[in-house]
Structures are given as C-alpha cells and as structure tokens.
C-alpha cells in the first residue's frame, strides 16, 4: 500500500472522508498528538486500527466527535461529565461515559464505558465534520513507540500500512489528552494531560489522580485504564529519570554519564544545559509546556541519532508537568531514581 501524505486542502479532506466511509484508516493531526482514525461504528474498520498499530485487543480506543449533537447516539455522559465538556471541549480532554449499544465492542475492548473526545484542532474538526461519522482513533504510532507529534513521525511508523496521512504540522500540546473518569462523586484522572488536575479542581472543587499513574501496576492489580498495563512510549535506548534537588540531579546524571559505555545523551530543560557541559545533551525546552511539546520528538530523535542510553531530568509534577513526568516514567519503564 502506498501511504500518501497530504496537506489538508479540499481534495485531501474529500479523500479522507471517502476513505473513512469506506472503512479505511486515515491519520490526522489533533492538538495533542496525531491520531489513527477509522469509522467508530464499523467494527471491521476498527479492527484494522489494531492491526496497523500492532495494538493489544484489550486496549480500548477513544471516539472523536466534532459536535455535541453526536453524543446522544453513542453514550450517556454523567452530569459531571457534561459540566466538564461544557468547560473544556473542544480540547485535550477525554471523558469516560457509559456506552450505548451502537458503539461496537471492538472500540471499547468489551468495557461498558467509551472514552469520548472533541478535539480543537481545525484539521481534525474539518475531517470529522466532513466524514459525518464518529471516528475511533488511538495515537498513530506503532504500539509501545512514542506518540507521533508530526506527520513525519506517523510516516516513520505507518508507511505502507495506511493509505493517508493528513499533514497539519507539529501538534500544540505534544502529550495525549487527559483521560478522566467522571462517573463517581470525585472525578479521577486516569491519564494526565493538558487539562490538568488543578484546572478540574478549579471547576468542580475536587479531582483525584489515580495513584497508578506514577507507578507500575502490582502483580494481579486491576488497571483503572487498560493502557496502564502496556509498555509505552519507549525509545530503543534505555532511559533513566533522575528526580530530586537540581544540584543533586545534575551530579547524579553526570556521574552516570561518565560511567556509561556506548552512546549516551542527557535530556534536560534548556536553562539547565550548562550543568552538563562537554557531554551530549538534548533540550526539552524552556518550560513545562515546551517539555510536553517536545518530549516524544526528543525520544524519537535520540533513537534516530543512535543513542543507547538516555538520562533525563525529572520535571515538576505541577500542572502539565504531571503529564510530562507520567510519560517520562513510562518511557523509562519506571526506572526513576530519587537522588
Ligand atoms: O490525545 C489523545 O487522546 C490521542 C488523540 C489521537 O486523540 N489519542 C490517544 O489514544 O492517545 P490512545 O488509544 O493512544 O490512548 C487512549 C488511552 C489508553 O490508555 C486507553 O487504555 C484509555 O485511553 N482508554 C480508552 N477508553 C477507555 C475506557 N473506556 N476506560 C478506560 N480507559 C480507556
Ligand atoms: Mg497511544
């Protein structure tokens, strides 16, 4: 199969909606990461997503809509979920809602809830509007690889496996949407993202973060979200994250760098780079927002440059920093050292 990469013009949108309605896959940009979309109401099409990504069948997909009028046919949002939709949609927030029977089990991996998301990216919205169907879409990477934040990343992973990638440039946030369970009294974040715990608290007065967000599941422990069970975001090189006071982190990273054999690189915020002079470094940017934006492309670039060892500074777990730390910890298979 030839994979076309097209700028989103009228002809490209046309092709995208024809492909989606014919049960084919289309990769598209969102404000978080690129998604790999299929008609959510077509179980055959949905199964193609799992094949193309090599994704375990027990990991459910998020359903993307462009207008709230599409909700009724698909799910029953709780009153709390409705308030969150009013406040944060369109935007990087996925809400788990009780599903209706119209949503195939292939989408939800047999769960009775479905993750619903209304993206704000204009290309995603125009594609969804023209397709006229809800679109199931995971991130458009091969399973366990870092999520794609550019069309080139998608091409790297999906070349020859899908017919079309809509190229909308680099994604704004760079980490996937916040996944939130608003079915109980207190909303619970299952995956942190750019709609932060602080923002949800501000709106509702309460918001918790599932404690398995920052640690591996214990043996036999039930995962609040199936994605927590699987290996994620991993670069090919081995990654360790160092957490603690800045001077101790720098000292520990430099010691590990100097003791390492093979090709090693240090990932740090740019204001800290001078602590690692004379060593190979990659900048995660100036701020937490930039770190979110750049993290996955840094991991891919480290692979492309042939590094087999990665040493990263931890970042603050405030606001969007929690999303960055969650991805870093998972990319490191939870090899996080407190120094
Ligand atoms: O930003 C995003 O959310 C991107 C863009 C494309 O929208 N999508 C994305 O999808 O990251 P994916 O499939 O890579 O991650 C979805 C996560 C998985 O960890 C999955 O286990 C969880 O959401 N999830 C989906 N539906 C769920 C459900 N019904 N219950 C619990 N967790 C669910
Ligand atoms: Mg993913």
């Amino acid at each position: 199969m030839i994979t076309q990469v097209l700028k989103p013009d009228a002809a490209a949108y046309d092709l995208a909606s024809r492909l989606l309605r014919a049960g084919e896959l289309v990769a598209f940009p969102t404000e978080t990461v690129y998604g790999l979309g299929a008609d959510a109401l077509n179980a055959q099409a949905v199964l193609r997503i799992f094949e193309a990504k090599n994704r375990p069948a027990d990991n459910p997909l998020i359903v993307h809509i462009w207008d709230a009028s599409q909700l009724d046919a698909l799910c029953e949002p709780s009153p709390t979920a409705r308030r969150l939709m009013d406040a944060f949609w369109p935007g990087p927030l996925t809400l788990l809602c009780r599903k209706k029977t119209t949503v195939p089990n292939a989408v939800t991996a047999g769960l009775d809830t479905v993750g619903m998301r209304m993206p704000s990216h204009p290309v995603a919205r125009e594609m969804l509007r023209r397709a006229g169907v809800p679109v199931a879409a995971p991130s458009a990477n091969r399973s366990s690889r870092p999520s794609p934040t550019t069309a080139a990343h998608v091409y790297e992973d999906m070349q020859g496996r899908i017919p079309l990638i809509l190229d909308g440039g680099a994604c704004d946030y760079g980490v996937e949407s916040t996944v939130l369970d608003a079915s109980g009294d207190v909303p619970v974040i299952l995956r942190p993202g750019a709609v932060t715990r602080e923002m949800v608290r501000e709106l509702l007065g309460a918001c918790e973060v599932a404690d398995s967000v920052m640690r591996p599941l214990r043996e036999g422990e039930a995962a609040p979200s199936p994605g927590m069970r699987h290996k994620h975001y991993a670069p090919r090189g081995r990654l360790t994250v160092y957490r603690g006071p800045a001077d101790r982190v720098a000292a520990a990273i430099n010691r590990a760098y100097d003791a390492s054999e093979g090709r090693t690189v240090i990932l740090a915020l740019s204001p800290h780079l001078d602590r690692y002079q004379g060593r190979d470094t990659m900048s995660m940017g100036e701020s937490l927002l930039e770190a979110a934006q750049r993290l996955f492309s840094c991991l891919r670039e480290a692979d492309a440059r042939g590094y087999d060892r990665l040493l990263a500074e931890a970042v603050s777990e405030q606001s969007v920093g929690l999303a960055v730390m969650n991805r870093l910890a998972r990319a490191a298979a939870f090899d996080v050292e407190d120094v």
Side-chain angles (χ1 to χ4, degrees), residues 53 55 138-139 141 147 176 191 232-233:
K53 277 186 62 103
R55 181 179 174 106
S139 49
N141 51 289
S147 295
E176 306 87 341
R191 179 177 71 181
H232 258 97
Y233 316 119

mmCIF file of all heavy atoms in Angstrom, residues 53 55 138-139 141 147 176 191 232-233, ligand 2:
data_model
loop_
_atom_site.group_PDB
_atom_site.id
_atom_site.type_symbol
_atom_site.label_atom_id
_atom_site.label_comp_id
_atom_site.label_asym_id
_atom_site.label_seq_id
_atom_site.Cartn_x
_atom_site.Cartn_y
_atom_site.Cartn_z
ATOM 1 N N LYS A 53 -1.436 -0.883 14.046
ATOM 2 C CA LYS A 53 -0.599 -0.451 15.172
ATOM 3 C C LYS A 53 0.080 -1.600 15.879
ATOM 4 O O LYS A 53 0.960 -1.386 16.699
ATOM 5 C CB LYS A 53 -1.477 0.246 16.233
ATOM 6 C CG LYS A 53 -1.775 1.665 15.978
ATOM 7 C CD LYS A 53 -2.523 2.258 17.167
ATOM 8 C CE LYS A 53 -1.767 2.262 18.475
ATOM 9 N NZ LYS A 53 -1.209 3.547 18.876
ATOM 10 N N ARG A 55 -1.612 -3.320 18.048
ATOM 11 C CA ARG A 55 -2.077 -2.948 19.391
ATOM 12 C C ARG A 55 -2.797 -4.115 20.046
ATOM 13 O O ARG A 55 -3.594 -4.790 19.396
ATOM 14 C CB ARG A 55 -3.036 -1.769 19.272
ATOM 15 C CG ARG A 55 -3.614 -1.221 20.583
ATOM 16 C CD ARG A 55 -4.509 -0.050 20.248
ATOM 17 N NE ARG A 55 -5.244 0.511 21.346
ATOM 18 C CZ ARG A 55 -4.950 1.677 21.930
ATOM 19 N NH1 ARG A 55 -3.885 2.346 21.554
ATOM 20 N NH2 ARG A 55 -5.708 2.155 22.889
ATOM 21 N N PRO A 138 -6.747 5.914 18.175
ATOM 22 C CA PRO A 138 -5.654 5.955 19.138
ATOM 23 C C PRO A 138 -4.563 6.858 18.581
ATOM 24 O O PRO A 138 -4.704 7.383 17.468
ATOM 25 C CB PRO A 138 -5.183 4.506 19.164
ATOM 26 C CG PRO A 138 -5.383 4.048 17.752
ATOM 27 C CD PRO A 138 -6.596 4.807 17.225
ATOM 28 N N SER A 139 -3.491 7.058 19.327
ATOM 29 C CA SER A 139 -2.338 7.756 18.777
ATOM 30 C C SER A 139 -1.793 6.939 17.600
ATOM 31 O O SER A 139 -1.848 5.713 17.607
ATOM 32 C CB SER A 139 -1.281 7.933 19.860
ATOM 33 O OG SER A 139 -1.041 6.700 20.519
ATOM 34 N N ASN A 141 0.996 5.945 16.416
ATOM 35 C CA ASN A 141 2.294 5.272 16.478
ATOM 36 C C ASN A 141 2.092 3.758 16.444
ATOM 37 O O ASN A 141 1.002 3.275 16.738
ATOM 38 C CB ASN A 141 2.985 5.635 17.798
ATOM 39 C CG ASN A 141 2.059 5.411 18.990
ATOM 40 O OD1 ASN A 141 1.096 6.158 19.164
ATOM 41 N ND2 ASN A 141 2.316 4.380 19.778
ATOM 42 N N SER A 147 4.350 8.484 20.998
ATOM 43 C CA SER A 147 3.261 9.011 20.165
ATOM 44 C C SER A 147 3.815 10.011 19.155
ATOM 45 O O SER A 147 4.762 10.729 19.439
ATOM 46 C CB SER A 147 2.214 9.693 21.038
ATOM 47 O OG SER A 147 1.593 8.749 21.868
ATOM 48 N N GLU A 176 -0.716 13.282 24.948
ATOM 49 C CA GLU A 176 -2.095 12.892 24.686
ATOM 50 C C GLU A 176 -3.051 13.526 25.688
ATOM 51 O O GLU A 176 -2.644 13.961 26.761
ATOM 52 C CB GLU A 176 -2.242 11.362 24.750
ATOM 53 C CG GLU A 176 -1.296 10.583 23.866
ATOM 54 C CD GLU A 176 0.021 10.295 24.551
ATOM 55 O OE1 GLU A 176 0.346 10.984 25.550
ATOM 56 O OE2 GLU A 176 0.735 9.394 24.089
ATOM 57 N N ARG A 191 -5.234 9.326 33.054
ATOM 58 C CA ARG A 191 -4.018 9.667 32.305
ATOM 59 C C ARG A 191 -3.923 11.182 32.316
ATOM 60 O O ARG A 191 -4.823 11.856 31.808
ATOM 61 C CB ARG A 191 -4.099 9.153 30.861
ATOM 62 C CG ARG A 191 -2.855 9.510 30.046
ATOM 63 C CD ARG A 191 -2.896 8.952 28.626
ATOM 64 N NE ARG A 191 -3.861 9.640 27.795
ATOM 65 C CZ ARG A 191 -4.112 9.329 26.527
ATOM 66 N NH1 ARG A 191 -3.470 8.318 25.957
ATOM 67 N NH2 ARG A 191 -5.012 10.014 25.842
ATOM 68 N N HIS A 232 4.916 1.459 27.157
ATOM 69 C CA HIS A 232 4.536 2.693 26.487
ATOM 70 C C HIS A 232 5.695 3.604 26.156
ATOM 71 O O HIS A 232 6.624 3.715 26.936
ATOM 72 C CB HIS A 232 3.604 3.495 27.398
ATOM 73 C CG HIS A 232 2.182 3.383 26.997
ATOM 74 N ND1 HIS A 232 1.328 2.503 27.584
ATOM 75 C CD2 HIS A 232 1.480 4.022 26.038
ATOM 76 C CE1 HIS A 232 0.146 2.622 27.030
ATOM 77 N NE2 HIS A 232 0.198 3.530 26.084
ATOM 78 N N TYR A 233 5.575 4.284 25.054
ATOM 79 C CA TYR A 233 6.396 5.447 24.718
ATOM 80 C C TYR A 233 7.886 5.155 24.645
ATOM 81 O O TYR A 233 8.698 6.058 24.700
ATOM 82 C CB TYR A 233 6.193 6.572 25.755
ATOM 83 C CG TYR A 233 4.766 6.822 26.141
ATOM 84 C CD1 TYR A 233 4.311 6.672 27.439
ATOM 85 C CD2 TYR A 233 3.855 7.198 25.160
ATOM 86 C CE1 TYR A 233 2.995 6.914 27.774
ATOM 87 C CE2 TYR A 233 2.532 7.449 25.489
ATOM 88 C CZ TYR A 233 2.113 7.297 26.802
ATOM 89 O OH TYR A 233 0.822 7.537 27.137
HETATM 90 MG MG1 LIG B 2 -1.270 5.736 22.450
#
